[in-house]
């Protein structure tokens, strides 16, 4: 029988070895970070479950947890709060999505040393708010104009942050040299030959694509590390400078698109995709109210990448800083409604349940109790797996 460390190393074997070591180190931080880095374990284990509550098919992001909600700048240049990671997205039973996000509540609350009773309360709240939104049959969205409470404050802070501030932080003391500061934590050097090839590729791509503004030139590139589950993928960031306005800069990223970690365990027939990059950006477009700025794909050295304007890595709700249960209730309610909205927005597309099926499902009772019980139990399994992982990796 394979151990936890065997299963994890087998999954991560195709990734960049040096970066995988950083991923393993990050996953030691706590059980929630471990959970974020082992989406494949979740679905491998789910496949073995008997009597898991059945549900209609929907487009799901696949790796929904509390830190995969956040802010991003839309292609209309407004800031939105929404689901924001679709690397694992597939057509699947919608209860798979709910099981993962509910489990994340239990795991995260345990790491934050919040009472189990509060985790039960918030998981139930999330599910109830999700159901109420699904019953309406109408998707909603959140931006600074419509947000309330903690999310409103969060988005207003993000909105006030200028692109110049982000650029200055990334460029650091090397600002005058028009280079990305290498800190060997989030930004790493790229070998000269590969760096030249990447810059040449992006330069040519910018000149020839209609989906991006072509009035920028590439000034520098670096390897980027962000998140947890995606550490080990090829991920590059580029500093662009406007040709017309020398004081105008743009940060973009090029992230390798790979097979969804759900794929080995998902028996639902999927549409044909020309690439995993196409799958990812198509599902972003379907599920989000507004797509991220400058979203597209490219192929470099036979690998497909998702291209988009770089999103600030710190723009997540920090649950440890929420003042009281009222704040928690507001944030989790928003997240639940956004989850339902993403499924409603993408309903009736290439095999997903139509709106009527989703609203009808929301009105039925009996599946909620089993789903909450599974999330509760699996959170205990995550904690045990985390302990075994830490003991094995040293």
């Amino acid at each position: 029988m394979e151990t936890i460390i065997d299963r994890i190393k087998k999954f991560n074997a195709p990734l960049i070895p040096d970066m995988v070591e950083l991923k393993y180190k990050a996953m030691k931080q706590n059980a929630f970070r471990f959970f974020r880095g082992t989406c494949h374990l979740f679905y491998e284990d789910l496949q073995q479950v008997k009597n898991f509550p059945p549900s209609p098919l929907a487009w799901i992001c696949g790796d929904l947890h509390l830190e995969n909600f956040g802010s991003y700048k839309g292609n209309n240049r407004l800031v939105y709060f929404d689901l924001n990671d679709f690397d694992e997205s597939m057509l699947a039973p919608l209860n798979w999505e709910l099981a993962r996000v509910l489990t994340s509540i239990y795991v995260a609350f345990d790491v934050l040393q919040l009472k189990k009773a509060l985790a039960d309360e918030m998981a139930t709240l999330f599910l109830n708010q999700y159901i109420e939104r699904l019953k309406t049959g109408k998707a909603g969205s959140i931006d600074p104009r419509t947000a309330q409470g903690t999310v409103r404050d969060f988005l207003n802070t993000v909105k006030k942050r200028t692109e110049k501030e982000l650029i200055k932080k990334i460029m650091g003391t090397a600002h005058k040299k028009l280079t990305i500061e290498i800190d060997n934590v989030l930004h790493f050097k790229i070998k000269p030959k590969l760096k030249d090839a990447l810059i040449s590729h992006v330069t040519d791509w910018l000149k020839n694509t209609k989906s991006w503004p072509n009035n920028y030139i590439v000034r520098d590139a670096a390897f980027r590390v962000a998140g947890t589950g995606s550490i080990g993928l090829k991920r590059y960031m580029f500093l662009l400078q406007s040709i017309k306005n020398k004081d105008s800069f743009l940060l973009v990223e090029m992230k390798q698109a790979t097979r969804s970690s759900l794929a080995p365990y998902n028996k639902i027939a999927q549409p044909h995709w020309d690439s995993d990059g196409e799958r990812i950006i198509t599902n972003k477009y379907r599920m989000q109210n507004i797509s991220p700025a400058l979203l597209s794909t490219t192929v470099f050295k036979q690998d497909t990448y998702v291209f988009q304007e770089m999103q600030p890595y710190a723009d997540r709700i920090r649950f440890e800083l929420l003042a009281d249960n009222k704040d928690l209730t507001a944030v989790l309610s928003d997240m639940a409604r956004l989850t339902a909205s993403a499924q409603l927005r993408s309903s009736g597309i290439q095999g997903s349940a139509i709106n009527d099926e989703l609203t009808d499902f929301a009105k039925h009772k009996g599946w909620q109790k089993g789903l909450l019980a599974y999330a509760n139990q699996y959170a205990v399994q995550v904690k045990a797996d985390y302990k075994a992982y830490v003991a094995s990796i040293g």
Side-chain angles (χ1 to χ4, degrees):
M1 183 178 177
E2 287 185 315
T3 64
I4 285 297
I5 195 67
D6 290 337
R7 293 164 67 190
I8 291 171
K9 288 188 174 182
K10 181 179 179 181
F11 175 82
N12 288 283
L15 306 182
I16 302 171
D18 291 349
M19 294 298 125
V20 169
E21 291 305 314
L22 293 179
K23 180 177 183 177
Y24 291 162
K25 183 178 179 181
M27 285 164 53
K28 286 179 63 178
Q29 182 179 338
N30 57 54
F32 185 56
R33 196 83 190 265
F34 173 82
F35 179 74
R36 289 165 53 198
T38 55
C39 183
H40 60 101
L41 292 183
F42 181 84
Y43 289 103
E44 185 178 346
D45 291 341
L46 183 60
Q47 182 187 222
Q48 308 299 323
V49 177
K50 296 180 180 180
N51 301 319
F52 185 78
S55 58
L57 297 181
W59 288 104
I60 68 172
C61 89
D63 186 23
L64 194 61
H65 56 71
L66 295 182
E67 292 206 5
N68 271 345
F69 293 86
S71 69
Y72 65 93
K73 186 176 291 184
N75 53 22
N76 57 5
R77 311 313 290 169
L78 295 177
V79 175
Y80 290 87
F81 184 73
D82 208 340
L83 287 68
N84 62 4
D85 187 338
F86 296 85
D87 290 1
E88 314 295 351
S89 59
M90 294 190 82
L91 181 68
L94 65 81
N95 272 351
W96 288 16
E97 188 93 297
L98 293 177
R100 184 149 178 84
V101 70
L102 292 172
T103 300
S104 81
I105 293 174
Y106 282 108
V107 176
F109 278 39
D110 184 69
V111 168
L112 293 172
Q113 298 183 331
L114 299 174
K115 293 180 179 180
K116 175 60 167 54
L118 181 60
D120 288 330
E121 179 185 344
M122 292 298 124
T124 301
L125 168 82
F126 186 101
L127 190 54
N128 287 340
Q129 290 295 317
Y130 164 88
I131 289 169
E132 289 306 309
R133 169 55 67 174
L134 206 65
K135 282 181 181 178
T136 69
K138 185 174 178 62
S141 62
I142 298 177
D143 62 44
R145 300 165 299 182
T146 60
Q148 298 180 359
T150 299
V151 172
R152 178 191 60 210
D153 296 341
F154 170 77
L155 284 180
N156 283 335
T157 299
V158 173
K159 183 180 178 182
K160 291 175 183 176
R161 185 190 300 119
T162 65
E163 290 180 353
K164 287 184 179 180
E165 289 174 327
L166 176 60
I167 297 291
K168 186 176 180 180
K169 185 175 182 179
I170 297 297
M171 294 171 70
T173 56
H175 185 196
K176 293 182 180 180
K177 296 181 182 179
L178 301 181
T179 57
I180 298 168
E181 184 176 36
I182 302 301
D183 59 12
N184 292 319
V185 177
L186 298 173
H187 313 141
F188 296 78
K189 285 184 178 180
I190 305 172
K191 291 182 179 180
K193 187 175 179 180
L194 175 58
K195 183 175 180 178
D196 289 343
L198 282 164
I199 290 177
S200 177
H201 174 80
V202 174
T203 298
D204 291 341
W205 193 80
L206 286 172
K207 288 179 180 178
N208 297 312
T209 185
K210 294 181 180 179
S211 58
W212 275 63
N214 58 8
N215 59 336
Y216 282 89
I217 56 174
V218 183
R219 286 301 187 186
D220 198 16
F223 190 95
R224 184 181 185 221
V225 169
T228 303
S230 61
I231 299 177
L233 294 175
K234 298 170 186 175
R235 189 171 190 169
Y236 307 105
M237 59 185 293
F238 300 86
L239 175 64
L240 309 185
Q241 183 181 29
S242 172
I243 297 172
K244 298 179 180 179
N245 181 359
K246 299 299 182 181
D247 292 325
S248 178
F249 297 91
L250 191 65
L251 284 170
V252 299
E253 74 166 0
M254 191 171 119
K255 182 181 178 183
Q256 184 184 11
T258 57
R259 186 188 188 203
S260 170
S261 61
L262 283 68
Y265 316 109
N266 188 0
K267 307 304 180 184
I268 305 302
Q270 303 294 310
H272 169 74
W273 305 108
D274 289 337
S275 68
D276 281 295
E278 182 194 13
R279 170 181 58 81
I280 292 167
I281 70 166
T282 299
N283 289 328
K284 273 179 175 280
Y285 177 79
R286 288 173 175 172
M287 297 178 72
Q288 291 180 324
N289 181 48
I290 297 292
S291 297
L294 309 174
L295 181 64
S296 50
T297 64
T298 188
V299 177
F300 175 72
K301 292 186 180 293
Q302 299 182 323
D303 288 323
T304 303
Y305 292 81
V306 171
F307 236 119
Q308 67 178 20
E309 185 171 2
M310 203 179 94
Q311 305 299 325
Y313 47 79
D315 288 347
R316 304 286 192 275
I317 296 289
R318 296 183 63 185
F319 280 82
E320 68 273 20
L321 299 183
L322 296 184
D324 52 33
N325 290 2
K326 184 178 179 181
D327 289 339
L328 280 173
T329 297
V331 171
L332 287 170
S333 294
D334 282 341
M335 290 179 170
R337 289 190 284 264
L338 289 172
T339 302
S341 295
Q343 293 175 356
L344 288 166
R345 196 173 287 121
S346 57
S347 64
I349 302 175
Q350 291 186 297
S352 60
I354 64 172
N355 189 293
D356 286 349
E357 291 177 85
L358 295 179
T359 56
D360 185 60
F361 175 72
K363 294 172 185 176
H364 283 94
K365 296 182 178 180
W367 57 271
Q368 297 93 332
K369 185 176 180 180
L371 194 64
L372 286 166
Y374 179 79
N376 193 344
Q377 293 165 8
Y378 195 76
V380 175
Q381 181 65 48
V382 171
K383 192 172 181 179
D385 288 346
Y386 168 68
K387 288 182 178 179
Y389 168 76
V390 172
S392 298
I393 204 165

